[in-house]
Each structure stands twice: as C-alpha cells, then as structure tokens.
Amino acid sequence: MTKTRKIVTAVIAVLCAILLVIGLTLLFVIGIPAAQFSSKVENVQLQPVSQSGEGGDRIHFMNTGSSDAILLECDGHFALIDAGEDTDNPRGFEALELEGFEDRVLAYLKEHAADENGQVYLDFVVGTHCHSDHLGGFDTIFADDAVTAGRAYLKVYDSSKIKEKEVEEWDNQEVYDQMVNALQARNIPIVSEPDGTPFTLGNFTITLFNTDDPETDEKVGENDQSLGVLVEKNGTRVFLAGDIDSYSGDEARLAPEIGDVDLLKVGHHSYVMSSTRKFIKTLSPETCVITNNYESLHKPVSAYIQYLCDPDFLLTGRENGIVAVIGDNGQIDYYNDIH
C-alpha cells in the first residue's frame, strides 16, 4: 500500500469513528429518551375529564398550542395564570401571524368558573411576563362584562432591559399596554412588584417567585423577567415556572427557595435556556406538564429532564388539555380532553 493510500485510509477511519460517536450521542440524547418520552406515562393514570366530578381543588392546564393559560380552582375560588396566545398583530409582522386562543380561554372560563348568573370572578390573575403567548388573551377576557378580577400581578415592562431585536420585532410593548388598558378600564388594581408573601386561594397557598435583574447592564430577553407561581395544599406542591430561564442565574437562585415539588409546569414550553440541571435536580418533580404540542417541543430538553428525575410527562397539546385534581391526601389525579 502506498503512503498516500495509507493516509487516505487512516483519514477515512478517523472520520468513520467520529461519525459513529456523533451518531451514538444523538441516539442517546435525542433518539432513546425522546422515544421514551413520547409514551412515558407509566404512573399517571389519565382519565377523561368527564369522570372527574364537579368542584374540587384543581389546576386546569388549557390546550392553547405553544402558550400558557392555567386556571386555578380551589374551594369555589378561581385565579388565572396567563391567558394564551392571541390573534392580534399590531405591527403587522409576518412572524407574529399566529393562531390565537383568546376566545377559547374566555369560553373555558365561562364554562368552568362562572356562578349561577353566568358571572366569572377571578380572585387574581398573573401575567407572568410580557410575551403575547402569555398575556395575549387578557384584553379579550376583560373586555367581556361577565368577567372581572380582584387584582392583577403584572410587572412593568421595561424595554430598556430587553435585547434590541426583541424590542423591534416582537409585540411586547403592545401586549403589555393592551393588558394594562383592559385592567384599568375595569378598575382592577395592578400589583407591579410582587414581594413573595404567601397568600391563599381557598385551600391553596400561593407564593409568587420573582426574577432578578442581571447584575450587569447586559440586555436580556423578556423571559428573564418571568414570574413563577408555587401552589401548595396539605404538603402537595406544584410549581408553575412561566418562562423562567437561566440567562442571568434566576433558576439557580430560585431552585433552593422553591424546593421539591410534586408537579412542575416546565418553563418556556421545554425550549432551550430553561430547565437547567440544578433547577430540575433541586425541584425533582414526579410529574411534568409541558404547555406545548409534541411537534413543537424541544425533545432534547424533555429527554434531559427525564434523565435527571425520571418524571412522567403530560403534554397539553397531545392530551387536549389537562386537569390535575389535588386530593386532601396529597394524591394528584390527572384528567385529559378538557376542551
């Protein structure tokens, strides 16, 4: 064999070895865990929501595509965490021509939270942060005279903290203004600086977790401003992570404060920059809910969480919405097809 031929053969062998390593890595990180993820509901016994009975202490995870709309229900009291994506596109950006769910959220409230006169009273609402897939539906909800609220938790949107591309190409300011205007029109007070003091919603204890501004002047995405919501009942703990991320260390700071949870609403729909190792290992959830469709979720992140904690996963898109009913004994029962 000539020297040149030996070199070519060696190069080919090295390339094959590299490709084999890459292939095995992808198979482990994406293929194997993702396959497990797609069907892993070993411990969760899903039942049709028609079998869940009336009333009870429950958390409704609505099916609003890749967006959040979560209704808390406890002892006849209601609260809404985010309100789903909307159809508004105030600046006419092609990328913001999105499917809206505001009418679905409004109809769901009227079906499940209305009194005998058809009126919906929400003890409070939370707008976790100023992205349309979280705040979008609020203006439509409060434009309806049948719906009102006792107060709203909504941090002030400060575009000077946000990356220029997001400020210029997204509708953060518009969706924030729409929600503020809708709240003010109904005389609903706004709490813009949540202090983390626990309060009650029926039998639930609610604690809001606030993110910190970066210690530098570096600009961030609006996800870095997201609120999180801890729901507790008789030792059962549920954390709704909004879109809290790890960009400026919020997950690492908040994880010890939150502690172990039974149920985690995964942050940012399973997308990157959320769900870091320390955060997931510290919370160690038994079950996770992802507010997304199977086609859109970031499967490596989901597989990573499953690898760390081996939780069961439920997808709002795949299950057509999910209700988690929290019993007095701490057991959480799960129901699907809620729409």
Side-chain angles (χ1 to χ4, degrees):
M1 182 181 294
T2 66
K3 184 176 181 179
T4 301
R5 191 172 179 182
K6 288 181 179 179
I7 293 173
V8 171
T9 302
V11 169
I12 292 173
V14 171
L15 289 174
C16 288
I18 292 172
L19 290 173
L20 178 61
V21 171
I22 292 173
L24 290 173
T25 301
L26 289 174
L27 182 63
F28 174 75
V29 174
I30 299 175
I32 295 175
Q36 293 174 347
F37 170 76
S38 66
S39 60
K40 184 174 173 50
V41 285
E42 297 172 359
N43 300 315
V44 174
Q45 301 299 317
L46 278 170
Q47 303 174 65
V49 74
S50 59
Q51 299 180 18
S52 67
E54 296 297 327
D57 298 339
R58 55 186 68 195
I59 302 175
H60 308 242
F61 299 92
M62 299 181 218
N63 178 14
T64 55
S66 302
S67 68
D68 278 18
I70 303 168
L71 178 67
L72 306 183
E73 175 187 358
C74 191
D75 194 28
H77 294 264
F78 296 90
L80 184 64
I81 316 298
D82 291 328
E85 182 65 81
D86 65 349
T87 53
D88 291 343
N89 186 0
R91 288 191 274 174
F93 291 144
E94 183 177 352
L96 297 183
E97 287 296 329
L98 303 169
E99 179 182 5
F101 296 90
E102 60 266 58
D103 293 334
R104 176 182 290 194
V105 175
L106 178 59
Y108 193 90
L109 293 178
K110 289 185 174 183
E111 180 178 358
H112 296 280
D115 63 18
E116 63 277 8
N117 298 313
Q119 299 296 300
V120 176
Y121 180 78
L122 303 168
D123 285 32
F124 65 91
V125 300
V126 177
T128 57
H129 63 293
C130 300
H131 280 162
S132 64
D133 61 331
H134 292 259
L135 300 193
F138 278 118
D139 60 330
T140 298
I141 289 170
F142 289 119
D144 193 301
D145 291 339
V147 184
T148 191
R151 62 193 183 279
Y153 295 95
L154 177 66
K155 293 167 67 174
V156 174
Y157 176 65
D158 184 354
S159 61
S160 68
K161 301 177 182 178
I162 308 303
K163 294 178 180 179
E164 285 80 359
K165 182 178 177 62
E166 188 171 318
V167 171
E168 294 170 359
E169 299 182 10
W170 296 17
D171 58 352
N172 300 1
Q173 186 68 61
E174 288 84 356
V175 76
Y176 171 77
D177 291 341
Q178 287 173 337
M179 181 174 179
V180 169
N181 291 338
L183 293 169
Q184 290 178 341
R186 301 296 301 278
N187 295 315
I188 299 171
I190 300 173
V191 181
S192 59
E193 297 182 1
D195 62 7
T197 302
F199 56 91
T200 59
L201 178 77
N203 301 315
F204 287 160
T205 298
I206 308 295
T207 306
L208 301 185
F209 285 80
N210 202 347
T211 48
D212 282 345
D213 288 336
E215 295 180 1
T216 68
D217 293 332
E218 183 180 5
K219 295 191 175 185
V220 298
E222 175 63 13
N223 287 339
D224 208 62
Q225 307 296 324
S226 183
L227 295 171
V229 182
L230 179 66
V231 182
E232 299 177 273
K233 176 191 171 183
N234 294 345
T236 301
R237 309 178 83 243
V238 177
F239 189 66
L240 311 173
D243 279 3
I244 292 173
D245 63 20
S246 59
Y247 193 85
S248 57
D250 286 316
E251 285 193 339
R253 178 180 61 83
L254 291 175
E257 299 178 26
I258 299 166
D260 286 352
V261 300
D262 301 281
L263 171 60
L264 171 66
K265 196 290 294 186
V266 173
H268 199 201
H269 322 286
S270 85
Y271 300 146
V272 294
M273 289 304 296
S274 296
S275 305
T276 53
R277 177 183 178 87
K278 178 176 181 179
F279 188 74
I280 297 302
K281 286 288 287 184
T282 303
L283 270 60
S284 189
E286 296 179 4
T287 304
C288 289
V289 169
I290 299 179
T291 49
N292 208 337
N293 300 303
Y294 183 76
E295 298 76 19
S296 301
L297 68 89
H298 193 67
K299 296 177 182 65
V301 171
S302 307
Y304 177 70
I305 298 173
Q306 196 166 76
Y307 170 75
L308 290 175
C309 295
D310 195 33
D312 285 304
F313 276 94
L314 297 171
L315 280 174
T316 51
R318 183 177 61 189
E319 309 301 343
N320 193 26
I322 299 155
V323 167
V325 180
I326 305 175
D328 292 334
N329 61 355
Q331 174 73 26
I332 305 179
D333 296 318
Y334 296 91
Y335 302 85
N336 62 353
D337 290 325
I338 71 175
H339 289 282

